[in-house]
Amino acid sequence: MKDWVKGRVVAKRQWNHRLFSMQFDAPVADFKAGQFTQVALDIGEERVGRPYSLVNAPQERPLEIYFNAIPEGPLTPRLSDLSPGDEVWIASTASGVFTLDAMPAARDLWLIATGTALGVYLSILRTADPWERFERVLLVHGVRSSDELTYGDTLGALRDAHGERFSFVPVLSRERREGILHGRIPPLLVSGDLEARAGIAIEAEQSHLMLCGQAEMIKEVRTFLEARNMRRHRRNEPGHYTTEQYH
């Protein structure tokens, strides 16, 4: 049985009609950047919980999650209705292995996300680890429309702090905006447009990629990488890419 602790909402931000960030105070254990927690509400006689990546760095409080409110979902419509002061349940301990701990050395770190998967990378980028271990860090964020390009202040602060070592490449699949790549991430990799925009090539000898988001995106990017003789990273078999799937 999961160990829950009581948390309290301290802030909420609505980015558009369905995207929310929410911050909590809760007495949870320390965690690693890239891990996820469970957030739950008591609905009727059932405690309904779902996993959410933590957006804040391990040394930062309050805890923060980033989520898409799905109208037919069992939890997110109720979660998005909460206000500061409302109580929630938080897992006492975070989980997950989508962290930098066991990743092999490389020159370039590519962080590829769709939708709310952006959040896990913001936690990682707010720590010293990627900047101590990699020369270049490239964050690619694929969304449908420009109102889903969120956390602009955070991304701007990362650019200010790390200069040319940090690149952010937004991708819009259903809207055209000047200066922003249009399409889906996998075809833009195949065409070479994504690497051209980033100004750096994906190479087995120099690159490690983290893939997080929609299952189809991950599947297609894996196919692209494996055609370049790049393999999935495993603890007992070092590789070139690491995945975490968001549903």
Side-chain angles (χ1 to χ4, degrees), residues 66-122:
Y66 179 42
F67 65 95
N68 181 11
I70 302 171
E72 66 276 14
L75 179 63
T76 54
R78 294 169 174 85
L79 196 61
S80 64
D81 283 340
L82 297 179
S83 299
D86 289 339
E87 293 183 343
V88 296
W89 293 104
I90 309 286
S92 61
T93 304
S95 305
V97 295
F98 195 65
T99 67
L100 294 183
D101 287 16
M103 290 190 185
R107 184 189 67 191
D108 307 320
L109 176 64
W110 288 75
L111 309 173
I112 298 182
T114 53
T116 57
L118 172 71
V120 68
Y121 295 136
L122 296 181

Side-chain angles (χ1 to χ4, degrees), residues 11 23 32-33 35 38 40 46-47 70-71 113 121 126 132 144 165 184 188 190 198 207 242-243:
Q23 296 181 333
K32 296 178 181 179
Q35 290 191 306
Q38 293 265 350
E46 183 182 3
R47 182 162 296 172
I70 302 171
Y121 295 136
R126 286 165 157 161
E132 292 175 349
R144 291 173 295 185
R165 296 184 62 200
R184 295 176 57 251
L188 289 169
V190 172
S207 308
T242 307
T243 67

Side-chain angles (χ1 to χ4, degrees), residues 176-238:
R176 293 186 181 273
R177 291 282 295 270
E178 186 175 353
I180 298 181
L181 287 175
H182 173 74
R184 295 176 57 251
I185 290 171
L188 289 169
L189 282 169
V190 172
S191 69
D193 290 343
L194 185 51
E195 288 169 285
R197 178 59 58 90
I200 196 163
I202 296 173
E203 302 171 331
E205 298 79 12
Q206 304 289 356
S207 308
H208 192 89
L209 295 91
M210 299 180 74
L211 314 177
C212 189
Q214 297 167 336
E216 192 64 24
M217 181 275 288
I218 292 174
K219 178 182 176 181
E220 292 180 40
V221 174
R222 287 180 60 178
T223 299
F224 167 81
L225 295 175
E226 288 168 5
R228 291 196 176 188
N229 296 316
M230 301 174 76
R231 62 184 180 274
R232 185 174 182 177
H233 175 67
R234 305 178 190 278
R235 288 189 178 274
N236 58 352
E237 187 181 352

Side-chain angles (χ1 to χ4, degrees), residues 152-163:
D153 289 347
T154 302
L155 296 170
L158 289 166
R159 278 192 293 265
D160 291 344
H162 303 288

